[in-house]
Amino acid sequence: MNLRSLLVFVCTIGLSLHQSFGQITEAPRVEEQSAEYVKIKRVELTDKYTVIYLQFADKGTQPGFSLPPELQDGYFPKNKPDAGSIWLDPDTRLFKPGEINVKFKLIRAENIPTEHTKKVSPGEKVDFVAYFERLSPGIEVFDFYEGRSKPGTTSWNFYGIHIKNPAKKALNKANVTTKTPVPAKKALPAKKETVVPEKPDAVKKEEEEMIVMVKGTVYNARTKEPVSARISYVEKGDTLQVSSSSGNYRIGIDAKEKYELRVAAKGYYGTGAEITALDSAGKINLTKDFYLIPLAVGETISLPNIYFETSQFTLLPESAAELNQLVQMMKNNPEIGIRIEGHTDNVGDADKNIELSRKRAQSVKEFLTKKGIDEKRIEAKGYGATRPLVKSGSEEERRKNRRVEFVITEI
């Protein structure tokens, strides 16, 4: 065998081994992740497993490194340098994005516990490996989903992991030279009525706990550029938060529950939205983008969830969430001054409408001052029906004109 033939032979053997043991992706690209201090170093696809090599790196191990805000305070209590702990949830799954039912279970983990926690010291690095069921050929982007973070903890979720995992090539029918004779079909006996057995309890539980992925981007409403933001929501009495430096976020929610998302970003007025799985019209993933208005002099910001008694200026309890957000913005930005503006539709006496809108604006001001905001920072003014958003024709259009806004007058 000459040298050239030997090289061809060796390459052929190497290629066959590579195909047999699967694909390896070093430092795969990850679109979004919930914890900066854990990274995926490598993904290896074998005949049986999807093997993910990860590294936990405690704060202080690299320049500019910091834990997320929810873990910075008290993560390592004073005088207890070994008080930090890590573990991998045994219910961690790999998902094909957009197809929550295409999932791959965790089989085992090495160098990290799944049934209890492992203590780590400040500055420590931990390399660990997670073995999952083999990803189906052709899935070259997947999500690593450990779960929803609980107070005091952060789940390690990675979204949009890009790997090499090509689909199997179809057989070349042109190379088939012989045909196997097809035996004659025999008459089949009449079908008997079959009884569908009840689903196992494990399957029922999995369906009851089905998670729907909510994703989206937080934008600057003026420039349409993504902004770093924090998304918070309440689940079973616990307030949970997700921070995103890129503006992109993903949250796993219970398919049967209703959630109120609140979005905040430094230098912007926050907003919120009610989310339920039913909003997806049967789709697995929900997409919800948010647009935040920057805090700048002259900006007019609507307060859509403020309610009054009919034809009165008494605030209803349903207004509390919106008003408390305004209070928090004023406390976080003590240099800001605002003008509360009340507006009505054009039904009724014009002078009475102006007076009603002024009193409603004044009611909002009084709410803020009772919460500790200096009244010198707040002006209240009523415009009645003189500044409509739309022509007051239908009831829906009149409802849009009945509103409360605030204008930033100084900053």
Side-chain angles (χ1 to χ4, degrees), residues 60-110:
T61 58
Q62 48 188 299
F65 182 87
S66 64
L67 287 170
E70 63 268 26
L71 293 183
Q72 287 177 359
D73 296 329
Y75 183 68
F76 287 109
K78 293 181 180 178
N79 304 320
K80 291 186 179 181
D82 62 344
S85 60
I86 60 174
W87 80 312
L88 186 64
D89 193 312
D91 289 329
T92 301
R93 299 285 187 271
L94 304 182
F95 289 99
K96 182 179 179 181
E99 298 184 33
I100 204 72
N101 291 321
V102 181
K103 53 192 171 185
F104 305 85
K105 296 180 180 180
L106 176 68
I107 304 300
R108 69 177 190 272
E110 295 177 355

Side-chain angles (χ1 to χ4, degrees), residues 263-383:
V263 183
K266 187 176 181 180
Y268 295 83
Y269 187 71
T271 186
E274 189 176 87
I275 296 290
T276 65
L278 297 178
D279 292 343
S280 63
K283 296 181 180 179
I284 294 301
N285 281 8
L286 292 173
T287 300
K288 178 63 180 178
D289 296 331
F290 292 94
Y291 295 84
L292 304 185
I293 298 177
L295 299 175
V297 172
E299 284 287 355
T300 299
I301 300 173
S302 177
L303 300 171
N305 299 312
I306 292 184
Y307 307 98
F308 300 91
E309 292 184 3
T310 305
S311 301
Q312 301 295 321
F313 54 89
T314 302
L315 284 165
L316 295 176
E318 294 84 347
S319 307
E322 186 79 59
L323 291 173
N324 284 330
Q325 178 170 295
L326 179 55
V327 169
Q328 194 60 49
M329 185 278 290
M330 297 290 284
K331 289 182 177 180
N332 292 342
N333 301 273
E335 73 285 357
I336 283 183
I338 64 172
R339 180 174 64 250
I340 304 294
E341 298 183 347
H343 302 270
T344 68
D345 57 30
N346 61 359
V347 176
D349 182 80
D351 292 335
K352 289 183 178 180
N353 281 339
I354 289 178
E355 181 64 11
L356 175 62
S357 63
R358 185 191 67 78
K359 288 182 177 179
R360 286 183 169 180
Q362 185 64 32
S363 294
V364 173
K365 177 179 178 178
E366 290 174 1
F367 182 98
L368 301 182
T369 56
K370 288 179 181 179
K371 293 286 187 175
I373 307 300
D374 189 344
E375 66 175 351
K376 294 179 181 178
R377 299 172 59 194
I378 312 166
E379 179 186 359
K381 196 162 185 178
Y383 292 97

Side-chain angles (χ1 to χ4, degrees), residues 68-232:
E70 63 268 26
L71 293 183
Q72 287 177 359
D73 296 329
Y75 183 68
F76 287 109
K78 293 181 180 178
N79 304 320
K80 291 186 179 181
D82 62 344
S85 60
I86 60 174
W87 80 312
L88 186 64
D89 193 312
D91 289 329
T92 301
R93 299 285 187 271
L94 304 182
F95 289 99
K96 182 179 179 181
E99 298 184 33
I100 204 72
N101 291 321
V102 181
K103 53 192 171 185
F104 305 85
K105 296 180 180 180
L106 176 68
I107 304 300
R108 69 177 190 272
E110 295 177 355
N111 203 35
I112 191 169
T114 57
E115 299 297 336
H116 56 85
T117 60
K118 174 180 180 177
K119 291 183 178 181
V120 289
S121 302
E124 183 178 357
K125 287 186 178 180
V126 178
D127 290 296
F128 59 99
V129 186
Y131 289 79
F132 293 86
E133 294 174 325
R134 176 57 155 90
L135 287 171
S136 302
I139 298 180
E140 295 193 302
V141 180
F142 69 94
D143 296 338
F144 177 114
Y145 187 72
E146 186 182 27
R148 289 164 288 177
S149 299
K150 299 178 181 178
T153 69
T154 295
S155 294
W156 300 339
N157 299 327
F158 301 84
Y159 306 104
I161 305 167
H162 293 251
I163 62 168
K164 293 176 287 187
N165 184 25
K168 291 182 179 179
K169 294 181 180 180
L171 291 175
N172 188 351
K173 295 182 180 180
N175 294 331
V176 179
T177 57
T178 60
K179 293 184 180 181
T180 303
V182 179
K185 292 184 179 180
K186 296 181 179 180
L188 297 175
K191 289 185 177 181
K192 296 182 180 180
E193 185 178 348
T194 57
V195 178
V196 180
E198 280 194 40
K199 295 180 181 179
D201 291 340
V203 176
K204 291 181 180 178
K205 181 179 179 182
E206 192 168 336
E207 289 182 351
E208 290 173 358
E209 297 177 352
M210 191 179 77
I211 302 301
V212 173
M213 200 63 65
V214 181
K215 63 181 180 179
T217 305
V218 182
Y219 294 100
N220 180 320
R222 301 295 178 242
T223 66
K224 303 302 185 291
E225 294 292 327
V227 299
S228 174
R230 184 178 68 255
I231 298 92
S232 61

